[in-house]
Amino acid sequence: MIDRILNFFRKSYHTLNTIKVSRDNLLHNYRYLASFNKKVKIAPVVKSNGYGHGIINVAKILDHLNTPFFCVDSLYEAYELLKTKIKTPILITGYTNPENLKVKKLPFSYAVFTLDLAKTINDYQPHAGVHIFVDTGMRREGVRIEELPEFLEAIKKLPNIKIEGLMSHLASSESRKDPLFLAQIKLFKKAF
């Protein structure tokens, strides 16, 4: 009896949520952001399944724009894009377990904020680029500013590390007057 009731609910359930992505609007938004400063390249963040809009759908729309890379959160998301033959380079911005990089060569770049990960990339992914992830106030992950000089000295000793960039995570960027935003920008400039 219970099986029949459960089967009834399984068969009749339909999600009430629908997300529609407008290709034209997405391209317009990208081009609008890119128009602010021609010297700055925009790297679309497609992590967390394209923020619920579908990582593959969003990446396919933006793939032809010659962006420097797509930002994803995890090795899993990077693989999802790789399987769909996305041409844009991929930067994994979230934590990557160093053990996962010892299996085979991967065509990705990585956010680095631990020496353990940097050493593993040096030894097992020598072609990979890295972005030094600096903690400017979120306190979740990243190299703390006061530890950055020592961290960079250690990185310099790894011959296969190719630093492509410096990055951080802003807690709030909606207001240029927000005290936390201003403090984070100040720390990021100090790191730069």
Side-chain angles (χ1 to χ4, degrees):
M1 176 71 169
I2 293 196
D3 285 341
R4 266 192 285 170
I5 293 170
L6 290 175
N7 284 335
F8 171 78
F9 284 110
R10 282 187 197 119
K11 290 178 184 175
S12 64
Y13 176 78
H14 297 284
T15 183
L16 301 176
N17 302 319
T18 303
I19 296 174
K20 294 183 180 183
V21 176
S22 167
R23 175 181 169 70
D24 292 341
N25 289 351
L26 183 58
L27 291 170
H28 168 77
N29 290 346
Y30 176 84
R31 289 182 179 119
Y32 177 73
L33 285 172
S35 74
F36 283 109
N37 186 338
K38 299 294 182 193
K39 294 179 184 177
V40 174
K41 298 272 186 187
I42 304 295
V45 179
V46 296
K47 71 181 191 115
S48 303
N49 195 28
Y51 287 97
H53 295 93
I55 189 170
I56 293 168
N57 295 336
V58 171
K60 282 183 176 180
I61 291 170
L62 300 173
D63 196 31
H64 72 281
L65 293 176
N66 198 28
T67 64
F69 44 83
F70 286 139
C71 298
V72 301
D73 182 57
S74 64
L75 196 54
Y76 172 80
E77 289 182 337
Y79 270 120
E80 288 298 301
L81 293 181
L82 187 64
K83 286 190 309 190
T84 60
K85 307 215 184 311
I86 293 296
K87 305 267 187 285
T88 302
I90 299 166
L91 169 63
I92 301 172
T93 61
Y95 173 76
T96 301
N97 184 335
E99 292 300 312
N100 293 335
L101 301 182
K102 295 178 179 180
V103 180
K104 66 178 183 176
K105 300 278 188 261
L106 301 168
F108 310 128
S109 293
Y110 304 89
V112 173
F113 54 92
T114 67
L115 284 177
D116 187 34
L117 179 58
K119 289 174 184 173
T120 302
I121 291 169
N122 182 73
D123 295 342
Y124 294 92
Q125 305 292 326
H127 62 285
V130 301
H131 291 243
I132 305 299
F133 192 159
V134 179
D135 177 10
T136 57
M138 282 283 285
R139 303 285 186 249
R140 277 199 263 175
E141 52 194 7
V143 180
R144 292 182 25 215
I145 292 294
E146 57 272 12
E147 297 169 354
L148 187 59
E150 183 180 329
F151 184 81
L152 291 175
E153 282 303 313
I155 291 282
K156 285 181 189 176
K157 294 176 184 171
L158 302 173
N160 297 320
I161 291 293
K162 297 173 197 76
I163 299 175
E164 296 178 332
L166 179 71
M167 61 183 280
S168 189
H169 191 170
L170 299 176
S172 169
S173 59
E174 294 179 19
S175 169
R176 290 180 175 234
K177 295 178 183 177
D178 181 295
L180 179 55
F181 170 77
L182 294 172
Q184 284 191 271
I185 294 297
K186 184 177 179 180
L187 282 176
F188 188 74
K189 287 179 179 178
K190 182 178 178 183
F192 195 73

